[in-house]
Amino acid sequence: MAETTPNSRPLPGIVPAALAGVIAAGAALAGTELLAGLVTGAPSVVLEIGALLISLQPPGAKQIVVDLFGTADKVVLEIAVVLGALGLAGGIGVVSRRRPGLGRLGLAGIGILGLFASLRDPLVEPILALLSGVAGVALATWLLGTLLRLATPSGTPEMPDWSRRRFIGSSVGLAGVAVAGAGVGRLLLNRRGETAPVPTGIPAADQLVSPLGADASLDVPGISDIVTSNETFYRIDTSLFTPRLDAETWQLTVDGMVDHPFTLGYADLLAMPQHEQYVTIACVSNEVGGNLVGNALWKGVRLQELLDRAGVQAGATQVVGRSYDGWTAGFPTAWLAEPGREALVALAMNGEPLPAPHGFPARLIVPGLYGYVSATKWLTQIELTTLEAFDGYWVPLGWAKEAPILTQSRIDVPRGGATLAAGQIAVAGVAWAPDRGVAAVEVQIDDRPWAPAVISAPISDATWVQWLYRWDAPAGNHIIRVRATDGDGVVQTDAQTEPAPDGSRGRHTIGLTVR
Ligand SMILES: Nc1nc2c(c(=O)[nH]1)N[C@H]1C(S)=C(S)[C@@H](COP(=O)(O)O)O[C@H]1N2
Ligand SMILES: [Mo]
């Protein structure tokens, strides 16, 4: 017997009603994805809600939040947002059986959340966000009503139940269209960045770095390249998508505790003297042996030149970089005082305009500091303040206020756990201590004494080196460790620490079997 309302009208079953909610909301979300792909400035509501969740910064979550910023985990977050929305919509479908008004309110609630999340994104056109929100809610409401009607039993059980078949057919069809629409939308969204016009030809630096000599790298299969390509360079940021800023309208403001605040456009920066240098940057959340580190040739305007032009006031002790979305990183003005240490507002990476994932049109690169306190991408403001007056994004979340890159070394080859033939084995990798420089690298096999590795000629103190130890390996199970000594003569510590709060310590260690 079909469930009925007090006035004996038959009701759709719970499962079909939930399905109707899921499909109505799914189709509406897919519609907004498609719009986002087709029209620049329209929000991907799923991404925007994900970004909102990230910005809520669950208290106490330190490593967890940082871990979230690995690319794969961002996909996990997106899937969670979609599943969460669909789960909610399923509930709304069930509620709508008896209380359609409440159901409509629920759908409107999801729409308002999406709109609120979208309006936080400076790259989103508010009018398009509104359009997408209203259209999405209207579509979901209409679909839910229609599907619920189809799911309602006809009340004449002896007849073949045509409405039930129509409900199933419509549901399957709609789900298919939604998945296809969302897929096309996402495809277009991802493709748009690749075709976005990027100004070419950043002027040559006033002093070109000399071409790397043959001794700047070691020829070992499997070792990290001495210069990391833009394609393989690690990426870490709080952005769920790749921000595509428009160089034509982009502006950089230098203000705060300065005598002459000013604002420049991209062309203004291109017209200034350009400086280029290799700098190795690293992420504080890199584990011992991890790959959140890379070395590139950066080119751009000297930060010092911009600061001189602005006239930094005597009391200013902190430089804060702010990106278009409000993300911030700050470091002491005193860090810039070291002779030979050149911080850049970088415009180019390895001879190309900054790729969008790495901060186009401009980012900060400060030799010797972890990225989260210095390397602001999609830079729009440089503010001079005091260390006491402001904390960058990650500092209130439990990460250190000041964070020089710790001395580290990594074994690239052989891989841990490998089984190799006895005889000559190349043990090799990279080591970094920007910008103290790497003076030496040593390797320890089992409990034997530390033995010196050969290192590549350092490009500069701000870059990593490659190292190589030729090992005549006897059969057995072995442990290999590596340690670096920095330019000040300090040996990489054996103490082990988690990445939080100021970077992981310890010596990369692998085990392998020789036969
Ligand atoms: N706008 C912005 N800039 C940012 C971040 C961010 O989340 N937002 N993350 C920082 C962190 S934690 C690091 S380690 C570096 C990484 O730079 P990359 O992605 O170019 O390797 O960027 C820094 N700049
Ligand atoms: Mo980082």
Side-chain angles (χ1 to χ4, degrees), residues 448-503:
R448 289 160 53 187
W450 288 92
V454 171
I455 66 173
S456 62
I459 301 174
S460 79
D461 285 346
T463 65
W464 66 11
V465 298
Q466 295 171 329
W467 58 267
L468 165 65
Y469 176 75
R470 292 200 183 281
W471 176 37
D472 193 10
N477 293 327
H478 298 285
I479 301 285
I480 307 179
R481 292 184 183 80
V482 62
R483 71 180 187 192
T485 300
D486 75 10
D488 299 335
V490 180
V491 178
Q492 177 186 337
T493 179
D494 190 24
Q496 293 182 27
T497 63
E498 295 287 301
D502 64 346

Side-chain angles (χ1 to χ4, degrees), residues 345-394:
V345 171
L347 307 173
M349 180 179 185
N350 292 326
E352 290 170 24
L354 274 186
H358 297 290
F360 181 84
R363 75 175 303 170
L364 280 167
I365 289 292
V366 184
L369 296 181
Y370 281 121
Y372 83 102
V373 289
S374 66
T376 308
K377 305 192 275 189
W378 313 293
L379 182 71
T380 54
Q381 187 191 10
I382 296 168
E383 186 185 358
L384 275 295
T385 178
T386 63
L387 286 164
E388 298 75 29
F390 186 80
D391 286 335
Y393 183 92
W394 282 112

Side-chain angles (χ1 to χ4, degrees), residues 233-238 283 323 327 358 363 375 377-378:
F233 209 94
Y234 81 96
R235 174 187 172 189
I236 290 287
D237 52 67
T238 60
C283 185
S323 70
W327 188 89
H358 297 290
R363 75 175 303 170
K377 305 192 275 189
W378 313 293

Side-chain angles (χ1 to χ4, degrees), residues 12-391:
I14 294 212
V15 172
L19 193 65
V22 166
I23 288 178
L29 273 183
T32 62
E33 279 299 308
L34 189 59
L35 188 69
L38 290 172
V39 185
T40 307
S44 158
V45 177
V46 171
L47 285 178
E48 301 295 359
I49 292 179
L52 176 66
L53 292 181
I54 285 184
S55 78
L56 292 180
Q57 304 181 346
K62 294 193 283 184
Q63 189 59 28
I64 307 162
V65 178
V66 165
D67 285 347
L68 204 67
F69 301 146
T71 321
D73 295 338
K74 288 183 181 177
V75 175
V76 171
L77 180 63
E78 274 192 68
I79 292 173
V81 167
V82 171
L83 291 183
L86 294 184
L88 209 60
I92 288 172
V94 173
V95 168
S96 299
R97 296 157 73 226
R98 288 172 197 275
R99 314 218 20 207
L102 198 61
R104 281 196 286 274
L105 212 63
L107 290 178
I110 298 184
I112 287 170
L113 175 69
L115 178 61
F116 172 72
S118 302
L119 290 176
R120 295 172 60 252
D121 182 348
L123 294 184
V124 162
E125 287 289 344
I127 189 76
L128 289 173
L130 192 66
L131 183 83
S132 161
V134 169
V137 171
L139 181 64
T141 307
W142 178 70
L143 284 175
L144 180 59
T146 307
L147 287 172
L148 282 178
R149 255 194 312 285
L150 290 178
T152 306
S154 56
T156 49
E158 68 280 4
M159 301 279 292
D161 198 345
W162 290 112
S163 71
R164 184 189 172 82
R165 293 182 194 182
R166 271 211 305 278
F167 171 72
I168 292 172
S170 309
S171 299
V172 170
L174 268 172
V177 170
V179 169
V184 170
R186 206 29 94 78
L187 214 71
L188 291 172
L189 201 62
N190 290 338
R191 262 237 319 257
R192 189 162 61 223
E194 291 163 24
T195 53
V198 167
T200 47
I202 290 169
D206 45 19
Q207 230 181 330
L208 298 182
V209 293
S210 24
L212 297 184
D215 58 352
S217 57
L218 304 175
D219 187 16
V220 182
I223 199 173
S224 303
D225 292 335
I226 194 71
V227 180
T228 315
S229 72
N230 292 356
E231 292 67 37
T232 58
F233 209 94
Y234 81 96
R235 174 187 172 189
I236 290 287
D237 52 67
T238 60
S239 189
L240 265 190
F241 51 91
T242 300
R244 314 275 175 185
L245 273 55
D246 180 0
E248 293 282 309
T249 55
W250 172 86
Q251 290 189 318
L252 174 64
T253 298
V254 182
D255 62 4
M257 295 174 69
V258 299
D259 291 334
H260 317 287
F262 61 84
T263 296
L264 298 176
Y266 192 64
D268 300 322
L269 286 178
L270 290 182
M272 293 177 70
Q274 304 290 313
H275 178 77
E276 67 180 0
Q277 60 184 339
Y278 287 94
V279 177
T280 294
I281 64 168
C283 185
V284 69
S285 56
N286 196 32
E287 309 266 355
V288 173
N291 57 12
L292 302 180
V293 53
N295 182 43
L297 177 59
W298 308 96
K299 180 168 67 176
V301 172
R302 292 173 183 84
L303 175 61
Q304 196 56 55
E305 183 159 348
L306 295 175
L307 297 186
D308 289 347
R309 179 162 162 186
V312 175
Q313 292 169 1
T317 49
Q318 184 174 208
V319 182
V320 174
R322 182 172 281 111
S323 70
Y324 84 102
D325 62 351
W327 188 89
T328 50
F331 57 92
T333 49
W335 188 259
L336 302 175
E338 183 76 16
R341 177 182 287 158
E342 198 72 71
L344 289 185
V345 171
L347 307 173
M349 180 179 185
N350 292 326
E352 290 170 24
L354 274 186
H358 297 290
F360 181 84
R363 75 175 303 170
L364 280 167
I365 289 292
V366 184
L369 296 181
Y370 281 121
Y372 83 102
V373 289
S374 66
T376 308
K377 305 192 275 189
W378 313 293
L379 182 71
T380 54
Q381 187 191 10
I382 296 168
E383 186 185 358
L384 275 295
T385 178
T386 63
L387 286 164
E388 298 75 29
F390 186 80
D391 286 335

